[in-house]
């Protein structure tokens, strides 16, 4: 989704009203209870600081605080953390681990197929339903390499073992990863 991301792809960059910022904050808190329960959400998105939202040509929204991208959402209003936030707080979302053979495909932006998640080197750390945001890790690696949305439940991934298991949203070295600040 973010193969390219920069000023050219942004159709609007505006400060949101306090009520909209509260809505975004509560949506993120509901989706990622770890952030709300541990108090991290107050650090990441302080109530008094102005929140900016950039809208992209691909109908994505990216939330910025102090010109730093923190979260983004798709059309269905699922909020996802950027990989930089996920690396700081790795326990905030469910984890799936791919085998070594899938790494180069994931980093090039390909969706993750079920066999890449169910083979010998892969691990399904958390049981999730279809339509759940997940962090994607590589076999023998410590940090997440991608963030995606499951298309099947983890049980269906094991049972069917065919087709797309996770639709990728954001990977290392894509346009969003390379955007450390909005200038």
């Amino acid at each position: 989704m973010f193969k390219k991301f920069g000023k050219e792809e942004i159709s609007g960059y505006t400060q949101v009203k306090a009520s909209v910022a509260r809505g975004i904050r509560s949506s993120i808190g509901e989706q990622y209870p770890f952030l709300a329960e541990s108090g991290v959400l107050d650090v990441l998105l302080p109530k008094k600081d102005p929140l900016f939202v950039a809208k992209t040509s691909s109908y994505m929204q990216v939330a910025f605080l102090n010109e730093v991208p923190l979260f983004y959402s798709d059309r269905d209003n699922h909020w996802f953390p950027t990989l930089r936030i996920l690396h700081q707080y790795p326990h905030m979302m469910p984890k799936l681990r791919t085998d070594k053979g899938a790494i180069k495909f994931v980093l090039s932006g390909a969706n993750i197929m079920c066999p890449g998640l169910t083979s010998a080197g892969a691990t399904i750390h958390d049981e999730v339903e279809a339509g759940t945001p997940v962090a994607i890790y590589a076999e023998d690696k410590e940090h997440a390499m991608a963030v995606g949305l499951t298309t099947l439940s983890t049980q269906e991934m094991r049972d069917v073992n065919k087709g797309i298991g996770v639709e990728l949203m954001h990977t290392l070295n894509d346009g969003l990863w390379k955007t450390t600040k909005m200038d």
Side-chain angles (χ1 to χ4, degrees):
M1 293 303 258
F2 289 104
K3 281 194 184 266
K4 289 199 268 180
F5 181 75
K7 289 187 177 181
E8 307 81 38
E9 285 76 31
I10 293 176
S11 59
Y13 181 77
T14 57
Q15 181 177 348
V16 295
K17 293 194 280 185
S19 59
V20 174
R22 271 195 309 273
I24 291 171
R25 206 170 174 284
S26 72
S27 293
I28 292 170
E30 288 171 13
Q31 251 182 299
Y32 305 107
F34 169 81
L35 295 179
E37 292 165 2
S38 63
V40 173
L41 191 58
D42 295 329
V43 174
L44 289 176
L45 296 171
K47 293 178 182 178
K48 297 293 180 185
D49 288 357
L51 184 67
F52 288 80
V53 171
K55 295 186 179 188
T56 68
S57 55
S58 59
Y59 303 104
M60 301 286 279
Q61 296 182 67
V62 183
F64 287 84
L65 185 70
N66 299 325
E67 298 183 352
V68 176
L70 300 177
F71 292 90
Y72 58 95
S73 77
D74 60 3
R75 289 182 183 186
D76 299 327
N77 214 21
H78 292 107
W79 284 93
F80 302 88
T82 62
L83 281 168
R84 293 184 193 283
I85 296 298
L86 186 58
H87 288 173
Q88 290 176 359
Y89 306 102
H91 301 296
M92 69 182 285
M93 62 191 312
K95 299 176 187 176
L96 300 177
R97 189 172 303 272
T98 65
D99 59 9
K100 288 182 179 177
I103 295 172
K104 68 179 178 182
F105 298 107
V106 171
L107 292 178
S108 66
N111 291 329
I112 302 172
M113 307 304 281
C114 290
L117 295 167
T118 58
S119 66
T123 311
I124 295 177
H125 292 279
D126 301 303
E127 295 295 322
V128 295
E129 293 299 316
T132 304
V134 291
I136 306 298
Y137 289 77
E139 182 181 358
D140 299 331
K141 301 296 179 195
E142 179 182 341
H143 296 291
M145 66 174 168
V147 175
L149 189 67
T150 57
T151 57
L152 303 169
S153 71
T154 49
Q155 187 59 48
E156 290 171 325
M157 287 179 204
R158 282 190 207 95
D159 294 344
V160 175
N161 205 20
K162 285 185 181 176
I164 297 172
V166 178
E167 180 184 344
L168 282 190
M169 305 300 279
H170 169 40
T171 64
L172 289 173
N173 288 328
D174 67 3
L176 186 58
W177 172 260
K178 292 176 182 173
T179 305
T180 56
K181 250 185 139 82
M182 183 56 93
D183 299 330

